[in-house]
Amino acid sequence: DSPTTDPAQRTERREQLSLLATAVDRLPPRQHEVFVAVALNDVPMDVLAFKLGSTRNAIYKNLFDARRSLRRSMAADGHPVFPEDISRD
C-alpha cells in the first residue's frame, strides 16, 4: 500500500489478502504445496517436479487446479479476480 492509498482501499486489500490466505490454507495438500512453492516462493516447476518425484505436467495441473479453486473461493467471498468470475445468476 502506498501512503496515497485511501484507508478504505487499504482495508479492502487487507481483507482480500486475509481471505486469500485462508483459501490457500484450505487447498488440498498437494495443491497447497505446489501453489506455495511455485507461485509464492518462485520454485521452478522442473525443480519441484524432481523434488516431489513427479512430472512437470502433474505440477502444472496441480497449480492450475489450485488457482481455479482460489479464484472460485475469492468470488464466493465477494472478491472476484476476473470479470468472468462474477456470478451471472
Side-chain angles (χ1 to χ4, degrees):
D1 292 331
S2 75
T4 58
T5 306
D6 90 34
Q9 289 175 322
R10 286 196 302 266
T11 299
E12 183 168 342
R13 182 160 298 153
R14 270 189 240 114
E15 180 182 335
Q16 289 171 337
L17 288 173
S18 176
L19 290 169
L20 181 59
T22 299
V24 169
D25 288 344
R26 290 181 180 156
L27 289 171
R30 181 58 75 131
Q31 287 180 23
H32 182 273
E33 182 175 29
V34 168
F35 182 81
V36 170
V38 175
L40 301 181
N41 295 328
D42 293 323
V43 175
M45 280 196 236
D46 292 328
V47 171
L48 186 61
F50 179 78
K51 179 183 171 193
L52 297 177
S54 188
T55 66
R56 180 180 173 84
N57 286 343
I59 297 300
Y60 182 83
K61 175 69 168 128
N62 276 279
L63 185 60
F64 175 86
D65 290 345
R67 287 178 172 158
R68 182 178 53 199
S69 177
L70 294 173
R71 281 195 314 272
R72 286 180 179 162
S73 180
M74 293 301 289
D77 287 331
H79 298 279
V81 177
F82 299 111
E84 60 268 20
D85 294 336
I86 298 171
S87 177
R88 292 187 166 75
D89 294 334

